[in-house]
Structures are given as structure tokens and as C-alpha cells.
Amino acid sequence: MASHSPLAGRWSIPVGMLDGRTLITYGPDSGLRPCLQAAFDAAGIDFTAQYATNDAALHVALVEAGVGVSLSVGTDRALTGNPRVNAVPIVPPLTYRKAMVWRAVSEMLRPLRAFLALDSAVP
């Protein structure tokens, strides 16, 4: 949301507080869209995205322009380091699993081995 929004200073925002706001989020082809729909359904409020794009940088640009509130992945780089927008988590938190798929080969290349080794380094 825009940094001057009254909600921007909160530690978190219940999904219900987004009722009636202009929403910017991912398109219907996004895997995250059903998670958002389920969260709004559980809160008993309408989930209608007035603006839909899978580009988080465009989410930020629309928020900066005062268009509305973006429902976006909080770890996206487009959201970090911009003093004109604040990323505030919604509650209850949404979980979204992703998977990485690669082609099976007899010998993995070094970059893939290094990337896969990162998982074992994370506590």
C-alpha cells in the first residue's frame, strides 16, 4: 500500500479490513490467485480484483499512483527499498508452495548442484 495510507503503519492487516478497497493482484492464471480467493472466502468478503497483473513492479507502480492496495508476494524485490510503498502482511498468513523442476540428466551441472546445496544450508 502507499506509505501515506492509514493502514501502512500497521504490523499486519486482517483480510477483512481489505473489504471494499480497490484491489490490485495477480491475474486469473496465477497459482496464487486461488489462495487469495480462499482467504477472502474464509473472511466472508468479496474478492474482486479491479486490476490484475502478474508483474509485481506494475503492482508497485499502481500503488504509487494511488490506484489501490496490492495483494502481492511480500518477498518480491519490487517491494523492497521503495519509500513510497509499505509491505504489510495480511493475517491469517497465506502459504503458497512452489516447486522447482529440472531435466533429469546423468550428471548435474555445477550451478544446479550449488543451488540444490543451498537447501541443506537453510535451517
Side-chain angles (χ1 to χ4, degrees):
M1 66 197 55
S3 58
H4 64 275
S5 166
L7 299 176
R10 297 179 59 96
W11 289 101
S12 64
I13 299 172
V15 173
M17 288 186 78
L18 299 174
D19 192 25
R21 297 192 181 270
T22 301
L23 300 178
I24 304 157
T25 193
Y26 299 99
D29 60 335
S30 168
L32 188 56
R33 187 76 177 249
C35 295
L36 293 166
Q37 181 70 57
F40 276 69
D41 289 348
I45 60 174
D46 180 47
F47 177 63
T48 303
Q50 287 84 1
Y51 298 88
T53 176
N54 293 339
D55 182 355
L58 186 51
H59 285 213
V60 171
L62 290 167
V63 169
E64 285 180 313
V67 170
V69 175
S70 169
L71 297 171
S72 186
V73 175
T75 56
D76 196 291
R77 289 184 186 182
L79 302 176
T80 59
N82 185 333
R84 294 178 300 279
V85 298
N86 284 30
V88 180
I90 59 172
V91 290
L94 303 179
T95 57
Y96 179 67
R97 294 179 51 106
K98 289 190 174 191
M100 187 172 94
V101 179
W102 63 91
R103 184 176 49 143
V105 293
S106 58
E107 185 177 336
M108 288 189 279
L109 295 176
R110 183 182 285 170
L112 178 57
R113 286 194 315 265
F115 182 76
L116 294 174
L118 291 173
D119 184 50
S120 62
V122 177

